[in-house]
Amino acid sequence: MQPLFQNGDIVLFQGDSITDAGRYRHDPAHMGYGYAMQAASWFHASYPERDVRFLNRGISGNRITDLATRWQEDCLDLRPTWISLLIGINETWRRYDSDDPTSTHAYEETYRGLLERTQQTTLNARLILCEPFVLPVPADRESWREDLDPKIAVVRKLAREYNALYVPFDGVFAQAATQREPAFWAADGVHPSDAGHALMAQAWLRTVRAL
């Protein structure tokens, strides 16, 4: 099986802190230290003959409304041929730690708006939509499913509607948590450990047929 990325492709990772993963903002080529960096590195190591450029514009703390504000500068202006998008856990988190909820309807409408804006350009970019996730550690995270699960359903629906590739991160972590305790993969249930990021990179690479 050959990877989907071709010579000249620009692959953009977008999202929140999970994608950001400590990237250097002053260096536009820096990929951070998480799954985006690992996926890009493994791709280059496995397919050195493919001239593919990877970019990371994840920003810690972002929600879908933040992405909408910076979508032109941090996405469309970069002229990506592939857009990988992981967003949604902060919408849930802010409901429980700040009493600042984002309704499923508002999440869907804003998310859909980003995809529509992208389709209305001349980019013809392919989409890779990634499932937001949470692990049940600490124990209060279990109650977050009430808020997050409907948002996961939204991303699945949009992936179908927009003919996007889909990376089922929540399912990947649920399966992994049957092999090791959830805290091994993400100590706070949200931010992956090094092993958690590696698990994400593997799932992402399988989706683009590069693993």
Side-chain angles (χ1 to χ4, degrees):
M1 182 179 297
Q2 289 297 306
L4 297 176
F5 304 149
Q6 303 299 318
N7 286 333
D9 276 347
I10 298 174
V11 183
L12 172 66
F13 290 91
Q14 262 293 3
D16 50 36
S17 59
I18 301 168
T19 301
D20 182 336
R23 68 181 180 88
Y24 298 155
R25 305 289 172 77
H26 64 273
D27 180 359
H30 196 263
M31 292 297 295
Y33 298 97
Y35 79 95
M37 179 275 290
Q38 292 191 30
S41 297
W42 274 111
F43 183 89
H44 284 311
S46 301
Y47 303 96
E49 74 282 1
R50 300 273 174 123
D51 180 19
V52 177
R53 182 183 179 198
F54 292 88
L55 299 173
N56 184 350
R57 293 296 183 272
I59 293 183
S60 181
N62 266 197
R63 289 186 269 184
I64 193 73
T65 51
D66 299 301
L67 286 186
T69 300
R70 62 187 183 86
W71 199 245
Q72 185 67 45
E73 178 182 3
D74 282 350
C75 180
L76 304 182
D77 287 350
L78 300 174
R79 310 293 298 173
T81 49
W82 292 84
I83 300 168
S84 177
L85 180 54
L86 171 60
I87 198 75
I89 190 57
N90 286 324
E91 281 77 357
T92 292
W93 202 335
R94 296 294 85 81
R95 169 181 172 178
Y96 293 99
D97 76 348
S98 304
D99 193 25
D100 183 14
T102 300
S103 71
T104 300
H105 175 75
Y107 176 74
E108 178 174 352
E109 288 302 298
T110 308
Y111 203 130
R112 185 185 300 278
L114 295 184
L115 304 185
E116 285 293 323
R117 285 173 62 186
T118 303
Q119 282 202 336
Q120 289 167 7
T121 69
T122 59
L123 287 178
N124 197 30
R126 289 289 308 276
L127 300 169
I128 306 167
L129 302 189
C130 302
E131 196 170 74
F133 60 87
V134 69
L135 287 158
V137 54
D140 71 323
R141 302 295 194 253
E142 293 188 23
S143 65
W144 290 17
R145 307 279 354 167
E146 176 187 7
D147 188 89
L148 186 62
D149 284 352
K151 293 179 172 65
I152 291 174
V154 163
V155 183
R156 291 173 180 166
K157 179 172 73 171
L158 293 174
R160 289 192 300 271
E161 290 184 19
Y162 288 86
N163 192 32
L165 300 182
Y166 189 78
V167 190
F169 284 144
D170 194 59
V172 167
F173 277 113
Q175 182 182 40
T178 68
Q179 300 172 308
R180 283 292 301 264
E181 67 280 6
F184 175 79
W185 304 109
D188 65 356
V190 173
H191 296 97
S193 62
D194 289 344
H197 275 291
L199 194 71
M200 293 176 69
Q202 289 175 345
W204 193 91
L205 287 168
R206 284 194 299 268
T207 301
V208 300
R209 304 179 191 173
L211 187 66

